[in-house]
Amino acid sequence: MAFIKIQNVVINTNYVAAVKLDNQTSLGEKSVSVLIATPKLPLSNLDTTTHNFYHYEWIEFTGQAATALQDYFTSVNNVIDLLPQYQESSVR
């Protein structure tokens, strides 16, 4: 388990479900979005009919926070890149 602190937000990396790199806000500002999946616990044992066991929330970061997250999630020390950028343009 690892934690990432970005400005005033601390993220447990166990709950990161997806990351959107190279996004833009509606104003055209560079952003990085992180999808957080936190487990939902049933209120009782009878409440197991629901198949949605997680609560999902997108958190969007801009400015320096977006740059720092992009650096973190593109680092070979943190994430394995299955299709390096050099091959990405040839895959269509």
Side-chain angles (χ1 to χ4, degrees):
M1 170 178 22
F3 293 94
I4 301 171
K5 182 177 184 285
I6 301 294
Q7 295 171 332
N8 64 343
V9 177
V10 176
I11 299 171
N12 181 338
T13 56
N14 285 343
Y15 297 126
V16 174
V19 177
K20 289 183 183 178
L21 303 171
D22 295 327
N23 280 346
Q24 284 189 350
T25 65
S26 59
L27 299 174
E29 188 178 17
K30 176 183 172 181
S31 73
V32 171
S33 298
V34 179
L35 180 62
I36 305 296
T38 53
K40 280 193 220 176
L41 299 176
L43 296 176
S44 68
N45 290 339
L46 301 174
D47 191 18
T48 57
T49 57
T50 181
H51 297 289
N52 188 5
F53 295 110
Y54 292 92
H55 169 75
Y56 296 94
E57 180 179 352
W58 282 102
I59 302 175
E60 185 175 51
F61 296 90
T62 58
Q64 288 182 316
T67 301
L69 281 170
Q70 181 150 5
D71 290 347
Y72 180 85
F73 284 110
T74 56
S75 168
V76 295
N77 295 326
N78 301 318
V79 177
I80 298 169
D81 190 356
L82 297 178
L83 294 172
Q85 286 183 335
Y86 304 108
Q87 296 175 359
E88 195 172 295
S89 61
S90 64
V91 177
R92 298 209 185 234

